[in-house]
Amino acid sequence: MTTTPSSGVPAVEDSGLWDSPPDERFDRITRVAQELFDVDLALVNVVGADDIYTKGQPDGARFGFSSVAEVFCGDTVQQDDILEIEDARAIERYASRGAVTHYGMRFYAGIPLRNDRGDAVATLCLLDGDSRHLDAAEREALYRLGQWAQAEVRQAQPGAEAGGAASAAPRGDSLVGDELRLAALAIPHGLISGDRSGWQQFGGRVVVTLADVMGKGEEAGRLADELLAALQSRRDSAPLDAVRSVEDEARATGRYRDTFATLFHAVIDTTTGIVDFVDAGHGLTLLLRADGTTERLRSHNLPLGLRPRELAWEAGQVEVARGDLIVSVSDGALDAYDSTLDSLRLIGEDLRRSADPDDFFRDLSVRVSTQPVDDDVTAVVVSIH
């Protein structure tokens, strides 16, 4: 995609997003949005004076929008709320724009994304070739997805609070049993991490949780501790029931009013090999089968704290066998590679090549120490014996 050296907008320049490398944090949001709304395209666009820069897009998207005059995002950043265009072909001011004439887009809905000073620097937008209308529940869902994207925009700002210097000593833990081995690595970017992982074994079941609370510092760390404890304390519940219960409790107390958390929460039945799980906006878990195939364990759920009440939770289930591996990482681990979703594939390949999880963690720690990683790094590996 062609971009100009400068956006021409000081707030956009300060955001650090203009002409920056691809980033799975934003791509993930657009994938969720595209699937949730069943639209042709969802994008995170950084909006300059004359041009736009697409920072986030679903896998395989190849729409060459570059000029503000050809799309709708320039109008969106002038709004205080969602801009919805039900049929651009029927509106004179929009009918001749390139998004309509070249790509056949009729429907558009976009929400402005603001930096921590309140300046609109980007948009999260939906586009589709059919005219349509967002109902109240869909507008609420788009608003909450916008909160997610806006949090990532603010997190990307140069100088965003990190909570202290990076830790030089990664933490690793492991659990070994007859049926499986579970090991974890945690490398905080600051003094206190917003990532947490934990597990426990009781009877023939193992409960595994990886959670990432948006933000850094003491507040994020405290919320991460609370979330991990709440999910692990519900060890007798199915993952879907556990997450619903935690969400209900959080809504009653207003716990996630100003933040949210992505998570992967699973229960492994070691007698049957059945893994029940819930993925809430995480999407960074792989099942590496002994036969060489790979499956990504994910769902269409929004992060905990962002789901509208009307939107149902989605659970997942897979069956594992001897020799299989499950690896789940926080998005900071992707920064040790190229920050795109392809990094997850490379992580899986590195794990397959490793003699055991300890070797994999050692190599990942070296990568983190030699690459510009500006986030907490957490990884959990489950080996099926």
Side-chain angles (χ1 to χ4, degrees):
M1 180 175 295
T2 302
T3 60
T4 56
S6 171
S7 69
V9 179
V12 172
E13 293 295 314
D14 293 343
S15 73
L17 295 171
W18 189 259
D19 209 16
S20 58
D23 194 325
E24 166 59 16
R25 290 173 175 83
F26 292 97
D27 291 345
R28 174 170 49 180
I29 295 169
T30 62
R31 284 196 303 272
V32 172
Q34 184 183 40
E35 295 167 353
L36 183 62
F37 290 93
D38 191 23
V39 291
D40 291 335
L41 191 62
L43 301 170
V44 172
N45 284 329
V46 187
V47 185
D50 300 309
D51 296 284
I52 63 170
Y53 173 69
T54 298
K55 179 62 177 175
Q57 59 187 345
D59 309 335
R62 293 293 181 270
F63 284 74
F65 302 132
S66 60
S67 170
V68 167
E70 298 301 319
V71 293
F72 313 105
C73 295
D75 294 39
T76 304
V77 295
Q78 303 301 319
Q79 306 288 314
D80 292 328
D81 201 357
I82 294 171
L83 171 64
E84 181 178 0
I85 303 169
E86 296 184 14
D87 187 354
R89 288 198 320 201
I91 303 174
E92 184 176 355
R93 67 176 297 190
Y94 297 131
S96 61
R97 299 196 182 187
V100 180
T101 59
H102 293 297
Y103 293 105
M105 297 299 170
R106 300 175 65 181
F107 168 77
Y108 172 90
I111 187 168
L113 309 178
R114 302 181 184 278
N115 62 18
D116 55 11
R117 296 187 302 273
D119 304 312
V121 297
T123 66
L124 170 65
C125 54
L126 313 172
L127 298 106
D128 198 80
D130 293 326
S131 61
R132 58 186 292 181
H133 168 73
L134 296 180
D135 60 27
E138 289 174 325
R139 289 181 70 87
E140 176 68 9
L142 180 56
Y143 173 74
R144 290 176 182 266
L145 276 168
Q147 288 181 298
W148 185 5
Q150 182 168 273
E152 296 292 1
V153 165
R154 295 179 178 182
Q155 193 85 345
Q157 289 178 220
E161 182 181 356
S167 169
R171 176 185 63 82
D173 297 302
S174 63
L175 170 82
V176 178
D178 293 336
E179 297 87 6
L180 58 80
R181 177 187 178 189
L182 197 152
L185 174 75
I187 308 176
H189 175 60
L191 297 177
I192 301 175
S193 171
D195 290 4
R196 289 294 185 276
S197 67
W199 58 87
Q200 58 179 307
Q201 185 171 16
F202 63 104
R205 289 155 56 92
V206 176
V207 182
V208 185
T209 307
L210 190 153
D212 183 358
V213 173
M214 173 54 62
K216 300 182 178 70
E218 292 184 4
E219 179 65 11
R222 183 177 63 80
L223 287 174
D225 283 335
E226 291 178 2
L227 176 57
L228 179 63
L231 288 169
Q232 286 285 307
S233 70
R234 290 161 169 81
R235 67 179 195 176
D236 294 320
S237 300
L240 184 58
D241 294 334
V243 173
R244 282 174 174 162
S245 174
V246 169
E247 180 187 52
D248 289 343
E249 186 176 276
R251 279 182 168 149
T253 61
R255 178 65 68 201
Y256 295 105
R257 183 177 295 112
D258 299 317
T259 189
F260 60 87
T262 63
L263 63 91
F264 177 79
H265 181 63
V267 174
I268 305 170
D269 188 324
T270 60
T271 61
T272 64
I274 298 297
V275 181
D276 291 296
F277 68 90
V278 171
D279 180 289
H282 183 63
L284 300 179
T285 304
L286 292 179
L287 169 57
L288 309 175
R289 296 197 181 275
D291 64 6
T293 60
T294 300
E295 181 178 346
R296 189 159 153 243
L297 306 185
R298 61 182 297 264
S299 61
H300 303 150
N301 298 313
L302 293 178
L304 185 69
L306 291 182
R307 186 184 69 89
R309 291 181 183 274
E310 301 81 6
L311 196 63
W313 279 104
E314 176 183 311
Q317 186 182 87
V318 292
E319 185 174 354
V320 295
R322 184 184 300 272
D324 291 349
L325 295 165
I326 297 174
V327 57
S328 188
V329 300
S330 63
D331 47 18
L334 305 187
D335 294 344
Y337 293 79
D338 68 359
S339 298
T340 70
L341 185 60
D342 194 51
S343 299
L344 187 61
R345 177 185 62 81
L346 298 175
I347 286 171
E349 291 179 356
D350 283 351
L351 178 57
R352 284 190 187 277
R353 284 193 294 266
S354 300
D356 56 40
D358 291 337
D359 285 345
F360 167 69
F361 290 152
R362 184 165 49 251
D363 292 343
L364 180 58
S365 299
V366 170
R367 277 186 170 274
V368 171
S369 67
T370 58
Q371 298 294 323
V373 178
D374 296 323
D375 203 353
D376 307 320
V377 175
T378 300
V380 177
V381 174
V382 180
S383 308
I384 313 300
H385 292 176

